Amino acid sequence: MYGVCGCCGALRPRYKRLVDNIFPEDSEDGLVKANMEKLTFYALSAPEKLDRIGAYLSERLSRDVSRHRYGYVCIAMEALDQLLMACHCQSINLFVESFLKMVAKLLESEKPNLQILGTNSFVKFANIEEDTPSYHRSYDFFVSRFSEMCHSSYEDMEIRTKIRMAGIKGLQGVVRKTVNDELQANIWDPQHMDKIVPSLLYNLQNIEETESRSPSPLQSADKEKESPAELAERCLRELLGRAAYGNIKNAIKPVLMHLDNHSLWEPKVFAIQCFKIIMYSIQPQHSHLVIQQLLSHLDANSKSAATVRAGIVEVLSEAAVIAATGSVGPTVLEVFNTLLRQLRLSIDYELTGSYDSAGNVGTKIIKEHEERMFQEAVIKTIGSFASTLPAYQRSEVMLFIMGKVPLPSMHHPMEPVKPGENRNRLMQIMLLKSLLQVSLGFQCSNMLTALPSSFLDPLLSSTLMEDAELRLFVLEILVSLIDRHDNRHKFSTISTVPDIAVLKLKVDKCSRQDTLFMKKHSQQLYRHIYLSCNDPCNVQAHYEALYALLVMISIELANEEVVVDLIRLVLAVQDLALNNEDNLPAYNRCALHALCAAYLNLISQLTTVPAFCQHIHEVIEMRKKEGPYLLPEDIFVEKPRWSKSVDQIDTELLFLQSKVSEVLGGSGYNSDRLSTPYVPQLTDEDRLSKRKSIGETISLQVEVESRNSPEKEEKAPAEEITFETLKKAIVDSVAVEEQERERRRQVVEKFQKAPFEEIAAHCGARASLLQSKLNQIFELTIR
């Protein structure tokens, strides 16, 4: 009976008659709007019929698709769209199920127009906020199909572009529909993210393909809006912007895998572009999660090609600059530890030529220059991370890096891995370069706490290492740490500036914290500057760094007492070049004289004592006439001109300590201290800073002498021990003990009552004597 009623239009259910009436006789006439309004009114009046209306529309659409009546297909979808927009009743869920079945039917079609039609309907549906939740709806098919459309390879480029854009819009619709609905399938699951994110990146990556088209000027704006790359970028930004804290990892991992699978780390341009989009799209408090993901990926690629690792590190650097929120998360030192570990691995790869630690021939060819590029990229990234940190964290990082520098001692054997190379030396260079990057722009009001002894002591001891390149790095680090007003670039070259006003120096009054810092570390600084000047391996760069260090101390940390000490120190350096006890080459002696002239010229103008300025000016003018080789303008140039006869220099060409003491003493400076020559006090730390320790040297000397002694085979006759011999030994030992006690009493009394200058001179004389003995030992060892 039902079948008979179905054949007779008048006896058919009303909802079917209303649905049939919206279709015209000719599909080109479009939807019958008056009848559509009747159908909408009926659906709103009888919401329980909505699911039947949807099922019937779905039935008609499927029949029309199979019969290729695409005009009626479009009309059916338009009717579905209008019903969806109008009806938000509680029974809409069953209607939506019918609607989604019809959209899926269209998306499964091979016709691009039907795919685009279904996508557009789905996007309209995605923008509707439903009143009632759905507990069982699934979007897995739509995610897969839209992702597939994003990778369309249709022959016609224009149609291919439309299909890809439809796919991107569909994914955007899925995200909008599901991302904030806890009852929906979790779109952040890896099974969905592994399809959505690569699809968006694929279109973002193929931007040059879409740009190859040349739209007309009138249509250029519309064409830009229709670009798949721009649409994909907008969708990616929206996706990341909606990501909660726990979902960031699932969103970033597919990006990393896509870059790996398509070898996009090596040009690194696209990788940097991707992570710029990511960093600017996510919430700022989530940025450290992205950085941690990148660090983990760098560790996972430890044995990848150097160009790949360098690309990841470059992206890290860019991400750190964008993050720049004052912190890179709770594990700041972990970040630097990872980077330093990669640095160490790269050095091992460079030296062994293999990714295998056992030293076997690797399957991949390791190119040294690529490893060097990677190392430079790591150092740059360390600097980028450090620039985002506050001063207290940056000082912790500097202490952390300094603790990893292999300083020469008995605990760090310096064994070369292959001729001409040394693992520890390379590690020292790379770590000190990293430290220099971290120190750039370091500004702290309280240097006493920012630069503790645990950091400064090993750093200063490094200034006395034999390697000239390492010493230069250490000097530059010291200059960078002290320079808090960006004056360093004004002293890149050494010269005797007639008027320092042209330099426009930024000088602040020495603070109480700076005074405390200098009271604790000044003597240590002076000693290392003095000993650094006395190195025959110094070249122009070393003297420029030493000059900058002296100037920075004068500008940043100097009170009246420090100024006096610096002048004493520089006059001692002049005496060092004049006396030449350590046989410095002629160039180095002339360079020291020129260094002293440049510094005294500067400090005299800073002190603004007319008589002091006049004395310095007179000596400089005299040197210009009779000894230009003692001035920086002749020494610190591309082709230096110096004299080999620097043993005999007229008094008129020298800065006299007596004269300086007289003119400064008359202006209120401590004349007694100025008239006392500076004598560096050598410590165990200075003596142990060379490649071998004192203990090793003495034992080596004894061994050498015992081997070379011609009497080594002749044994000395044993002395006969008698009662008288023992008695004499006991009496002598008692007398010796009394003499020792008396000597100790005199020493204590002397140190309690004698003036400081006398004690310092006495200790300096003893230190010089000890140094001469040590020099003899070193010469014996070398021979």
Side-chain angles (χ1 to χ4, degrees):
M1 188 66 184
Y2 176 75
V4 174
C5 293
C7 295
C8 182
L11 299 176
R12 301 179 72 190
R14 187 181 179 195
Y15 74 90
K16 285 190 176 183
R17 281 184 281 128
L18 289 172
V19 169
D20 289 336
N21 291 339
I22 67 173
F23 291 94
E25 290 185 6
D26 186 355
S27 61
E28 292 183 1
D29 293 340
L31 181 70
V32 181
K33 294 183 179 179
N35 293 337
M36 186 64 217
E37 290 176 1
K38 293 178 182 178
L39 177 62
T40 304
F41 179 77
Y42 177 77
L44 291 172
S45 303
E48 69 277 1
K49 300 289 186 180
L50 189 59
D51 58 324
R52 299 184 185 182
I53 294 172
Y56 184 58
L57 271 171
S58 176
E59 180 186 337
R60 284 204 56 151
L61 183 137
S62 298
R63 186 169 64 244
D64 290 336
V65 168
S66 62
R67 294 176 181 178
H68 306 290
R69 299 169 64 179
Y70 300 127
Y72 288 112
V73 171
C74 294
I75 292 171
M77 291 307 299
E78 185 179 351
L80 283 167
D81 292 344
Q82 290 192 24
L83 287 172
L84 269 177
M85 299 295 289
C87 303
H88 290 182
C89 57
Q90 293 193 359
S91 59
I92 197 173
N93 275 331
L94 292 175
F95 177 74
V96 169
E97 291 300 322
S98 301
F99 168 79
L100 291 178
K101 285 180 182 177
M102 286 183 275
V103 171
K105 186 77 174 176
L106 294 179
L107 293 177
E108 287 174 343
S109 170
E110 294 180 358
K111 296 289 184 180
N113 290 340
L114 294 185
Q115 296 174 17
I116 295 169
L117 178 65
T119 302
N120 291 338
S121 293
F122 183 86
V123 170
K124 292 176 184 176
F125 160 71
N127 291 325
I128 296 173
E129 293 186 9
E130 299 181 52
D131 295 337
T132 56
S134 171
Y135 296 92
H136 58 280
R137 198 178 299 162
S138 173
Y139 294 97
D140 292 2
F141 166 79
F142 295 100
V143 171
S144 300
R145 185 61 187 137
F146 289 138
S147 298
E148 188 179 342
M149 290 169 66
C150 288
H151 291 83
S152 172
S153 56
Y154 201 85
E155 293 180 0
D156 189 307
M157 182 181 292
E158 188 171 349
I159 295 177
R160 181 169 71 232
T161 301
K162 289 181 178 179
I163 295 174
R164 289 185 179 180
M165 290 187 65
I168 297 168
K169 289 177 181 177
L171 290 177
Q172 190 176 29
V174 173
V175 171
R176 287 177 179 175
K177 197 66 181 173
T178 60
V179 75
N180 292 325
D181 191 348
E182 295 179 358
L183 298 172
Q184 301 289 357
N186 190 357
I187 199 68
W188 299 105
D189 285 345
Q191 59 179 353
H192 300 309
M193 284 290 106
D194 290 348
K195 295 174 184 176
I196 295 174
V197 174
S199 301
L200 298 176
L201 293 179
Y202 177 76
N203 286 276
L204 195 61
Q205 176 186 346
N206 289 288
I207 187 169
E208 64 279 352
E209 183 179 301
T210 57
E211 286 181 349
S212 62
R213 295 177 294 168
S214 53
S216 62
L218 293 175
Q219 295 179 337
S220 60
D222 297 333
K223 288 291 182 182
E224 278 187 17
K225 291 178 182 177
E226 294 176 0
S227 165
E230 288 196 1
L231 187 60
E233 180 180 338
R234 189 162 62 249
C235 183
L236 184 61
R237 289 183 185 276
E238 183 178 342
L239 175 69
L240 295 166
R242 294 171 180 265
Y245 186 88
N247 301 326
I248 291 291
K249 184 178 179 180
N250 288 344
I252 301 301
K253 190 175 180 181
V255 177
L256 299 172
M257 298 305 296
H258 181 82
L259 296 174
D260 284 345
N261 295 335
H262 295 270
S263 302
L264 295 172
W265 292 112
E266 295 181 26
K268 75 191 174 188
V269 176
F270 179 71
I272 290 175
Q273 179 193 358
C274 283
F275 275 89
K276 280 185 175 180
I277 292 172
I278 292 170
M279 297 303 292
Y280 283 122
S281 301
I282 62 174
Q283 299 176 40
Q285 62 268 29
H286 299 163
S287 59
H288 71 276
L289 292 175
V290 179
I291 290 171
Q292 286 180 347
Q293 283 284 97
L294 282 166
L295 288 169
S296 300
H297 197 66
L298 180 61
D299 274 340
N301 283 271
S302 292
K303 294 188 178 181
S304 299
T307 49
V308 172
R309 285 178 281 129
I312 299 173
V313 168
E314 287 280 352
V315 171
L316 260 171
S317 178
E318 294 288 341
V321 171
I322 296 171
T325 54
S327 175
V328 288
T331 54
V332 174
L333 294 183
E334 182 186 349
V335 171
F336 290 93
N337 193 35
T338 301
L339 292 172
L340 294 179
R341 182 170 62 249
Q342 291 298 324
L343 203 57
R344 187 178 67 252
L345 285 173
S346 177
I347 290 171
D348 288 342
Y349 296 157
E350 179 186 345
L351 294 175
T352 60
S354 170
Y355 292 119
D356 187 0
S357 58
N360 299 328
V361 178
T363 55
K364 299 177 182 177
I365 299 174
I366 294 178
K367 298 177 181 178
E368 287 190 13
H369 72 278
E370 290 182 353
E371 290 295 339
R372 291 289 173 94
M373 288 173 59
F374 169 71
Q375 292 159 17
E376 293 298 328
V378 172
I379 291 169
K380 176 188 172 186
T381 303
I382 288 173
S384 297
F385 272 111
S387 66
T388 69
L389 300 177
Y392 76 94
Q393 279 189 323
R394 201 187 286 205
S395 63
E396 287 179 4
V397 170
M398 289 192 291
L399 182 60
F400 178 73
I401 296 176
M402 195 67 225
K404 290 188 174 293
V405 178
L407 294 175
S409 70
M410 297 181 70
H411 303 291
H412 295 281
M414 309 290 269
E415 297 177 359
V417 177
K418 67 179 186 179
E421 294 290 350
N422 186 293
R423 176 182 278 105
N424 278 357
R425 180 183 178 276
L426 281 176
M427 199 65 202
Q428 286 172 338
I429 289 175
M430 293 304 164
L431 289 173
L432 289 175
K433 275 187 178 181
S434 304
L435 199 56
L436 180 58
Q437 285 293 320
V438 176
S439 67
L440 293 176
F442 177 75
Q443 294 184 1
C444 183
S445 58
N446 192 347
M447 294 186 69
L448 195 62
T449 55
L451 303 176
S453 298
S454 54
F455 170 75
L456 276 180
D457 290 348
L459 182 65
L460 288 172
S461 69
S462 303
T463 60
L464 304 179
M465 289 192 291
E466 291 179 351
D467 193 297
E469 187 178 3
L470 296 177
R471 286 189 284 106
L472 183 57
F473 279 127
V474 175
L475 290 172
E476 289 291 352
I477 291 167
L478 286 169
V479 172
S480 181
L481 291 173
I482 297 174
D483 179 22
R484 292 173 292 180
H485 292 86
D486 197 25
N487 289 313
R488 171 69 177 94
H489 67 280
K490 300 172 184 176
F491 300 99
S492 55
T493 57
I494 307 178
S495 62
T496 52
V497 184
D499 184 5
I500 63 169
V502 299
L503 299 176
K504 298 180 180 179
L505 299 177
K506 300 174 185 175
V507 184
D508 286 341
K509 187 178 180 181
C510 183
S511 65
R512 181 174 174 272
Q513 290 86 356
D514 292 341
T515 302
L516 292 173
F517 176 80
M518 288 305 289
K519 280 187 176 180
K520 184 173 183 181
H521 297 291
S522 61
Q523 294 304 319
Q524 199 179 7
L525 276 169
Y526 303 152
R527 183 172 67 250
H528 285 89
I529 292 172
Y530 181 87
L531 296 173
S532 296
C533 290
N534 195 24
D535 197 303
C537 300
N538 286 343
V539 295
Q540 180 176 335
H542 291 88
Y543 294 114
E544 288 173 350
L546 285 165
Y547 174 68
L549 182 56
L550 286 167
V551 172
M552 289 307 137
I553 295 174
S554 306
I555 294 174
E556 297 283 352
L557 305 171
N559 52 22
E560 185 176 309
E561 183 180 346
V562 172
V563 169
V564 168
D565 285 340
L566 287 171
I567 293 172
R568 291 174 62 226
L569 171 63
V570 171
L571 291 175
V573 171
Q574 178 183 255
D575 292 340
L576 175 70
L578 197 61
N579 300 330
N580 196 27
E581 294 178 355
D582 295 319
N583 297 319
L584 289 174
Y587 168 79
N588 297 74
R589 296 172 68 187
C590 291
L592 288 178
H593 282 293
L595 172 65
C596 295
Y599 176 73
L600 289 173
N601 171 68
L602 181 88
I603 198 69
S604 65
Q605 295 184 57
L606 287 175
T607 55
T608 63
V609 177
F612 184 31
C613 293
Q614 184 180 357
H615 171 62
I616 302 301
H617 179 69
E618 288 174 356
V619 175
I620 290 175
E621 289 300 317
M622 190 63 68
R623 287 187 178 186
K624 287 180 181 178
K625 295 177 183 177
E626 300 184 12
Y629 54 88
L630 302 177
L631 291 174
E633 285 75 13
D634 272 35
I635 292 296
F636 302 120
V637 290
E638 186 176 350
K639 294 181 179 179
R641 299 180 294 275
W642 75 88
S643 172
K644 293 183 179 179
S645 58
V646 286
D647 293 324
Q648 300 295 329
I649 298 179
D650 293 339
T651 309
E652 298 173 344
L653 302 179
L654 297 175
F655 303 100
L656 303 178
Q657 185 151 7
S658 58
K659 182 67 175 176
V660 171
S661 176
E662 178 187 339
V663 295
L664 286 178
S667 298
Y669 288 85
N670 189 336
S671 57
D672 292 337
R673 192 169 179 81
L674 277 166
S675 59
T676 306
Y678 172 78
V679 179
Q681 300 175 27
L682 294 178
T683 64
D684 291 340
E685 170 245 348
D686 299 327
R687 290 192 286 271
L688 291 173
S689 61
K690 295 295 183 179
R691 290 293 173 92
K692 290 186 178 294
S693 68
I694 296 298
E696 291 176 305
T697 304
I698 293 175
S699 63
L700 180 60
Q701 177 199 5
V702 171
E703 183 181 352
V704 170
E705 288 184 349
S706 64
R707 287 180 180 176
N708 297 336
S709 175
E711 296 87 5
K712 65 179 181 179
E713 296 178 359
E714 300 177 9
K715 294 183 179 179
E719 184 180 355
E720 184 180 357
I721 300 175
T722 63
F723 173 76
E724 292 296 330
T725 307
L726 291 173
K727 181 180 177 182
K728 183 179 179 181
I730 292 171
V731 172
D732 289 346
S733 65
V734 172
V736 168
E737 287 179 7
E738 290 180 357
Q739 291 175 2
E740 183 67 21
R741 278 198 296 270
E742 178 62 22
R743 190 183 68 80
R744 286 180 182 173
R745 188 189 63 76
Q746 291 176 357
V747 169
V748 171
E749 184 178 353
K750 179 179 179 181
F751 274 87
Q752 286 177 341
K753 297 181 179 180
F756 173 77
E757 286 75 11
E758 183 181 342
I759 297 171
H762 175 71
C763 293
R766 293 188 62 189
S768 301
L769 179 62
L770 177 59
Q771 184 63 44
S772 64
K773 295 295 183 185
L774 288 174
N775 290 336
Q776 293 176 12
I777 293 172
F778 290 140
E779 289 175 8
L780 286 170
T781 304
I782 293 168
R783 286 201 297 270

